[in-house]
């Protein structure tokens, strides 16, 4: 895994990925006590940065493998990213989803052209289903973060951040990245190491699901004690990846952790101050910039918003609690 | 009023205005039956395109007049656009606002550095207050649309649309513009006439406040019968401007009119499909593209979202009615 793979992914994504802008608001600067710059990947195709990794993985396959199609498991953003990338390449995609996933996510994944195979979390073995389908149909499995092509795709967002920061005159800053398995954080960290060495990745996670922050402290991969019950569902994973953790560990500063309420507050502020729809998991980096200011250094801070695929009920909850 | 004034405004705005992206969603394409391209000016500084006109007007004053400061009347987006433009130029801004304007808009305008003077709609004469304050302090009045510098600023959005459409390979399309007094529509129309003659402006308005559509039919300026009671408050004006109407009349196609419910439906779809926060008045062009498809020509349609300064209660209403 290296910067040349990210640059190659960037060439493959050119003309297909959306180059998201760098936003700001004087109201957020005031809360944070420094200038806050926002990279809104909720505006990316399919509503999250996952389209970058999906496109990178599908486009990076050798033509014969690609023609046979791809398979992925995901209940959310990765599913949609891979589905759209496959459809635009004109190849088959099977997405294995839990039968209790939100109906809208199942519907969206189907609408993006994927064949959805549902499984029962209690009874079925997801990996066995993927292995069987992959073998039967010759499909290539695209895992959500521990895959070099996927990490390279997510890293293209880091190349954009490096360029946009330079054009704003920012040479030193923390770049806070919403963190699940670490694909987004490790890709961005590698891109910044090469193109903007004064910018340093900081991961952001919700309380009780802070496996990356604890792993960064202990120096080895730590697990979460549970995997459900968070409004930040988009970034809940069992543990940092085997590929991603060494990169994040080498390049990132200490992990940041916010409460679920702080994530919801950030969702409400992104609504009123940025006019962006964010999901709670996608807003934890913004929450860290606003509510963990004392743990951050420098006059500027850059935050990623990783996604905006939020249920209306959860969005209403954020507005009810923090929207006035 | 000509294209050279728009190009001059564009040079003055360079480095200060946000160049908004051109977005799309396969889900919206499917509803509309053609490709829908979205120019989201809700992402502009202060949450609406009005910052363009505000900056153009303040930066276009001669230095002595600018140093004395500016005055504007507005209950919403123009107020914030002028306030921020004045603050960033380091000059005084007085904004005359009705005392029953939403408290958040008053607070925001103050927070952007303006002195807010409240008046009582029932008892006071807004124009007299502006004239008095302008005279006493030597302030230049910046009216919201019937001002060449303001129209030139709004037209810079049209220059961007022309460029972005060309890079997407779009040479023929209707460009639907949310329309109040016609500043946005006339500026964009002039820019497109020069830089993308295959693109044609269509105005969009809410039912019962369709003064521009009726004026385009009759060929002379028609008035609205009332000026309140619409959720599309941001684009409700008494009648098309004296400066703007001849331009729109010469260059635009027939006006499009949508219901308030259709505007709310578009707000909900911008939430789910674009991850954008829009105000109902800012979503009428999107509503027209989606729900008046039979009145539009061509394989592509471009829509502006004029603003996103929406009260949480109104946004909740859109999600309640159309968010699932």
């Amino acid at each position: 895994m290296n910067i040349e793979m990210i640059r190659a992914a960037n060439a493959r994504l050119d003309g297909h990925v959306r180059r998201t802008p760098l936003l700001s608001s004087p109201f957020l600067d005031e809360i944070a006590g420094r200038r806050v710059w926002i990279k809104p990947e909720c505006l990316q195709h399919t509503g999250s940065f996952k389209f970058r990794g999906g496109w990178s993985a599908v486009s990076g396959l050798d033509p014969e493998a690609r023609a046979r199609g791809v398979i992925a498991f995901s209940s959310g953003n990765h599913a949609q990213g891979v589905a759209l990338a496959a459809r635009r390449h004109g190849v088959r995609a099977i997405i294995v989803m839990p039968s209790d996933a939100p109906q809208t996510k199942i519907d969206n994944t189907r609408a993006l052209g994927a064949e959805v195979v549902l499984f029962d979390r209690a009874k079925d073995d997801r990996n066995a289903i993927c292995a069987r389908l992959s073998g039967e149909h010759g499909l290539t499995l695209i895992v959500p973060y521990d895959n070099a092509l996927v990490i390279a795709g997510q890293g293209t967002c880091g190349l954009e951040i490096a360029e946009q920061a330079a054009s704003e005159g920012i040479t030193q800053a923390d770049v806070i990245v919403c963190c699940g398995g670490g694909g987004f954080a490790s890709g961005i960290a590698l891109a910044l190491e090469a193109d903007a060495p004064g910018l340093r990745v900081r991961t952001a996670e919700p309380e009780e699901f802070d496996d990356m922050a604890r792993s960064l402290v202990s120096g080895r991969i730590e697990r979460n004690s549970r995997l459900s019950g968070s409004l930040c569902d988009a970034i809940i994973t069992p543990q940092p990846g085997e590929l991603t953790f060494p990169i994040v560990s080498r390049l990132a500063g200490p992990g940041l952790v916010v409460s679920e309420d702080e994530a919801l507050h950030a969702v409400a502020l992104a609504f009123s101050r940025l006019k962006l729809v964010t999901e709670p998991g996608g807003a934890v980096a913004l929450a860290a910039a606003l509510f963990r200011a004392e743990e951050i250094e420098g006059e500027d801070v850059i935050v990623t918003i990783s996604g905006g695929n939020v249920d209306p009920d959860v969005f209403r909850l954020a507005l009810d609690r923090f929207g006035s």
Side-chain angles (χ1 to χ4, degrees), chain A residues 67-243:
Chain A
R68 287 193 298 271
V70 296
I71 184 168
F73 52 84
S74 159
S75 60
N77 291 336
H78 181 60
Q80 295 179 63
V82 170
L84 184 62
R87 183 169 77 172
R88 294 210 175 152
H89 279 86
V91 304
R92 181 177 191 183
I94 294 183
I95 310 288
V96 179
M97 303 181 80
S99 51
D100 60 353
Q103 192 60 41
T104 55
K105 289 190 174 169
I106 296 174
D107 292 345
N108 285 351
T109 306
R110 282 204 178 111
L112 291 170
E115 301 161 54
V116 172
V117 172
L118 298 176
F119 72 96
D120 182 329
R121 281 185 208 258
K123 287 193 271 181
D124 302 330
D125 178 348
R126 180 190 68 184
N127 294 337
I129 295 174
C130 282
R132 178 176 58 76
L133 290 168
S134 167
E136 279 176 19
H137 304 288
L139 305 174
T140 302
L141 176 65
I142 302 178
V143 298
Y145 48 86
D146 251 351
N147 172 312
L149 287 171
V150 170
I151 296 171
Q154 322 305 28
T156 62
C157 185
L159 298 180
E160 292 178 20
I161 290 172
E163 217 178 288
Q164 291 169 318
S167 82
E168 297 289 352
I170 305 164
T171 55
Q172 295 280 331
D174 278 353
V175 177
I176 311 182
V177 181
C178 307
C179 185
F184 200 26
S186 59
I188 290 177
L190 286 171
L192 297 180
E193 181 189 27
D195 284 8
L199 305 187
R200 175 180 70 155
V201 160
R202 304 285 302 273
T203 57
E205 294 167 295
E207 283 171 10
E208 299 184 59
F209 302 91
D210 58 344
D211 50 309
M212 181 62 87
R214 287 184 290 108
S215 302
L216 288 172
V217 169
S218 73
R220 62 197 171 90
I221 290 176
E222 307 282 348
R223 289 182 65 83
N224 285 318
S225 55
R226 60 189 172 99
L227 285 175
S228 60
S230 173
L231 288 175
C232 300
D233 59 288
I235 59 166
I236 303 305
T237 47
Q239 60 184 52
E242 302 284 343
L243 264 182

Side-chain angles (χ1 to χ4, degrees), chain A residues 293-315:
Chain A
E294 70 288 355
E295 299 178 39
I296 298 166
E297 285 171 28
E299 288 177 12
D300 295 273
V301 63
I302 300 170
V303 307
T304 60
I305 286 177
S306 57
N309 291 315
V310 60
D311 280 340
D313 285 347
V314 174
F315 201 77

